[in-house]
Amino acid sequence: MKHEDLTALVRQLIATWENEVVEFKEANDNYSTSDIGKYFSALSNEANLKGAASGWLVFGVSNKTRTVVGTSYRPDHGQLMGLKHQIAQGVEPSTSFREIHVLEVDGHRVVMLEVPPAPRGIPIGWQGHYYARNFESLASLSLAKLDEIRAQGAADDWSAVICPTATLGDLDSAALARAREVFASRFGDRFPSAQLAKLADMEFLDIAKLTVNGQVPRATLLLLGKPQSTHHLSPYVAELTWKLEGPELAYEHFHPPFLLETSRLYQRIRNIRLPPLLPPGQLIPIDIQKYDQRIVLEALHNCIAHQDYSACERVVVTERTGELEFSNAGGFYDGLPTDYVFGKRTPRRYRNRFLAESMVNLRMMDTMGFGIREVMFQGQANRYLPLPDYDLTDPAHVSMHLPGRFIDQNYSQALLANSEFEWPEILALDRIQKGLLPDDAVLRQLRKRGLVEGRKPALHLSAKVAVVTDSKGSYIRHRSQGDAHYRHLILDFLRQFKEASRDDLRDMLLPVLPEVLNDEQKENKLKNLLAALRTGGQIVRQGPPAKARWRLG
C-alpha cells in the first residue's frame, strides 16, 4: 500500500476506533513480544470470524486521547522486521504478520502490524493458548468461537471436489499404467497382480481410491491427468515451475500428470559432483552429488500435497549455484517443521486429504510425517551435507532450502569421521556452521565434549574436531582471534597510513574476521572495535559519521 493510503487507513481506523479486529497501543521499545503474540492470536481469530481481510495492531496511537502520539518501538528496521520471525516461532500453526508498515502521521512515527485472518478451520494459538477479543479487551478464545472456527474446515478439501465433466479420457495412459504398477507393488498381498491386470481402468481407479464411484476428483487430475485436462480445474493452477538463477537464466513449466512429471523436473536440475571428501587416514576420496533424487522428490511431492490450490499459484523450484528452494502456497499446515525433525509429531490433518492419501497409495509420500526427518534431514546428514532450512516468515507460503554445497568442511568431516553423533548434536552442529545458535542444553553437551569453541554468537567447531578430521586450516579460518588482535590490526593500519575511512578499515579487517560470522555480524564487530578504541582514547574520529576519518588519538 502507498504511504498516503496507509495514512488514510490509520485515520479511518481511529475514527471507527477499536473493535474485535483493531488494537491501538502507544508501545515503547520495551513492549513485550509475548503480548504482541497474544494480540496476534486474538486479532487473527477474530478476523476469521468477522470475515475481515486483515486485523490491525497499530503502535503510536494513544488509547486515552485517541490521537497519534508516535512510537519508539524497535526504531532499527532490521530488528523491527525480525519480529516476523519471532512471532512465527511462537504461533501455531506457524504464521506471522502479513506486512509491517512504518509511516509518519502528523509528524509522528506509526507502526502498523497487519495480521492475516486465521485459515478456515484452523484457530491460531500463541505458545499453546488461543486468544480472542471481548469488545476491546484481550480474552481467551471461548469454546463457542473455537468450535465455530474448527467447523469451517470440517468438509473443506479442495482436492476431493469432483470435476463433473472429467472422464477417463482425461487421464494420461502412461501415468495410468504407472499407477497400476506402483499400486500392485504396494498392495500385492491384498490385490494379486493377475487380479489387478483383469480390472478395467475405472474399476482399478475406484479400488485404488483415485476415483469415487467412477467420478474423477481434482486430486486425480493433478496426479494422472493429461496436460490438456487442466481446464477442468480452472481457474485453479496446476503447474510446477523449475527456474534457474545465477550466471545463466532458464525456466520450464510442468503440468499434469505429476506422477510422471516430478521425475522429469528433477532431470532439469544440474546435479554435478561436489569436490570429493577425503576420510581421515584414507587415500580414497568419497564422491558426493549435489542433490539426491529421493530427497528432491520428497521435497517436491510435499509441495504438491500441501499446496493451497485456492491461492491460484504454481509450485516453484528455484535452482541457484549452491541450493534448491522449494516454495508452495499456504502456511505450514500442522505444527512446525522442527516438530517433525525431532520426531515429536504425527500429522493429524491435511490441507488436501484426498490428494495426500492418493499420493500415499502411489508411493509418492507418507502420512506419518517421516519424510521430513528420515528422508530429507537424515538423508542430507548421511551425505555429510548441510541440513535443509525452512523459511516460514511469509505466512502465505512455505519455502524449504536444500543445500547443495559444503559450508564448513569441519562439519562434513566430523560427520564422516564420527558415526556416533546423536541427532540433536547433528542439528546443533549444522546450526553452528550456519552462524546460528543451537539449543543451550545441547550446546553445553558439545562444549563438555570439546567439540565447540567460541563465545556467542561466534561459535565454531573446536580444534579437537579439526585435528580429528584433519581440517586444521578450516578451523583457523573459523576461530575468533580475540578483540585485542583485531584492535591491534586497526592501530597498525593507522600507524602506517596515518588515517583511514570506514571503508578502508572494512576492506582491511573483514576478510580476516572468522568465517563463521555473517556480513551483518562482521559489520557490528567493526563498529564495536572502533567504539572501544575511541572510548579508550586510542583513536579519534574527524568529520561527520557518514564521511568520518579515523586517526590515532
Side-chain angles (χ1 to χ4, degrees), residues 318-370:
T318 303
E319 179 181 354
R320 302 187 180 96
T321 302
E323 70 165 13
L324 296 176
E325 179 185 357
F326 300 82
S327 179
N328 66 269
F332 201 90
Y333 195 71
D334 188 20
L336 293 170
T338 50
D339 297 335
Y340 299 95
V341 172
F342 283 100
K344 297 178 179 179
R345 194 180 189 99
T346 299
R348 293 172 293 185
R349 57 193 178 196
Y350 297 89
R351 178 177 283 116
N352 304 300
R353 185 169 189 84
F354 193 99
L355 176 59
E357 291 178 349
S358 298
M359 294 178 72
V360 169
N361 289 343
L362 297 177
R363 288 191 183 275
M364 297 177 74
M365 62 177 291
D366 72 79
T367 55
M368 296 300 291
F370 297 142

Side-chain angles (χ1 to χ4, degrees), residues 362-550:
L362 297 177
R363 288 191 183 275
M364 297 177 74
M365 62 177 291
D366 72 79
T367 55
M368 296 300 291
F370 297 142
I372 291 179
R373 174 173 172 169
E374 304 294 334
V375 177
M376 293 194 294
F377 276 75
Q378 289 191 338
Q380 281 287 97
N382 292 340
R383 301 173 65 240
Y384 319 115
L385 286 174
L387 305 182
D389 292 297
Y390 277 88
D391 182 357
L392 306 181
T393 54
D394 180 355
H397 298 85
V398 173
S399 293
M400 193 276 281
H401 297 261
L402 180 67
R405 63 183 179 90
F406 300 115
I407 296 176
D408 179 358
Q409 289 234 7
N410 283 341
Y411 163 85
S412 302
Q413 291 281 3
L415 295 187
L416 186 60
N418 191 338
S419 61
E420 299 180 358
F421 281 128
E422 298 290 337
W423 183 235
E425 293 175 329
I426 296 176
L427 294 172
L429 293 172
D430 178 68
R431 289 185 63 83
I432 291 170
Q433 75 166 338
K434 294 172 181 174
L436 303 173
L437 296 179
D439 178 78
D440 285 341
V442 180
L443 178 58
R444 285 194 293 269
Q445 295 176 13
L446 293 174
R447 286 191 187 278
K448 287 180 181 179
R449 294 176 59 184
L451 298 174
V452 174
E453 290 180 350
R455 297 169 56 188
K456 293 181 180 179
L459 301 173
H460 55 84
L461 292 181
S462 71
K464 176 179 179 180
V465 174
V467 171
V468 169
T469 62
D470 198 23
S471 301
K472 300 173 185 177
S474 179
Y475 165 72
I476 291 297
R477 292 194 300 272
H478 283 76
R479 186 190 67 186
S480 174
Q481 299 293 328
D483 287 355
H485 172 72
Y486 301 125
R487 289 196 296 266
H488 183 72
L489 291 179
I490 293 173
L491 294 174
D492 275 353
F493 188 96
L494 295 178
R495 291 188 189 102
Q496 179 69 33
F497 299 104
K498 307 306 180 185
E499 66 175 18
S501 67
R502 188 179 181 90
D503 286 341
D504 293 332
L505 296 176
R506 180 186 293 110
D507 293 341
M508 180 274 296
L509 190 63
L510 264 57
V512 300
L513 288 175
E515 290 183 1
V516 71
L517 299 180
N518 59 34
D519 290 344
E520 182 181 355
Q521 290 169 335
K522 289 182 179 180
E523 287 288 345
N524 288 334
K525 186 74 167 178
L526 174 58
K527 177 182 176 182
N528 294 335
L529 290 169
L530 292 174
L533 288 169
R534 186 184 181 193
T535 301
Q538 294 171 282
I539 63 173
V540 294
R541 187 185 73 193
Q542 296 182 341
K547 298 181 180 181
R549 308 290 296 183
W550 296 91

Side-chain angles (χ1 to χ4, degrees), residues 74-205:
R74 296 199 182 188
D76 179 80
H77 180 76
Q79 288 187 336
L80 180 61
M81 293 302 113
L83 180 63
K84 281 188 175 184
H85 178 65
Q86 290 178 279
I87 294 299
Q89 288 183 310
V91 167
E92 184 178 353
S94 182
T95 183
S96 191
F97 294 107
R98 179 177 290 151
E99 194 58 72
I100 298 178
H101 308 279
V102 181
L103 60 153
E104 187 173 297
V105 180
D106 298 335
H108 299 288
R109 177 176 179 264
V110 172
V111 176
M112 301 181 70
L113 306 171
E114 186 174 359
V115 180
R120 286 182 56 78
I122 307 175
I124 294 295
W126 169 253
Q127 296 182 344
H129 299 280
Y130 297 95
Y131 295 90
R133 301 294 296 281
N134 184 4
F135 297 103
E136 297 181 7
S137 300
L138 189 67
S140 296
L141 185 66
S142 67
L143 288 177
K145 288 184 175 181
L146 184 64
D147 290 342
E148 182 179 348
I149 292 177
R150 285 180 169 166
Q152 295 168 350
D156 288 354
D157 182 353
W158 180 94
S159 67
V161 173
I162 299 297
C163 299
T165 57
T167 66
L168 185 62
D170 289 298
L171 303 185
D172 181 85
S173 59
L176 186 54
R178 177 61 179 159
R180 281 180 174 272
E181 178 185 335
V182 173
F183 189 82
S185 68
R186 179 173 174 80
F187 298 103
D189 56 334
R190 294 164 49 191
F191 303 99
S193 299
Q195 176 186 341
L196 287 174
K198 295 178 181 179
L199 294 176
D201 286 338
M202 194 55 75
E203 290 179 297
F204 160 71
L205 290 169

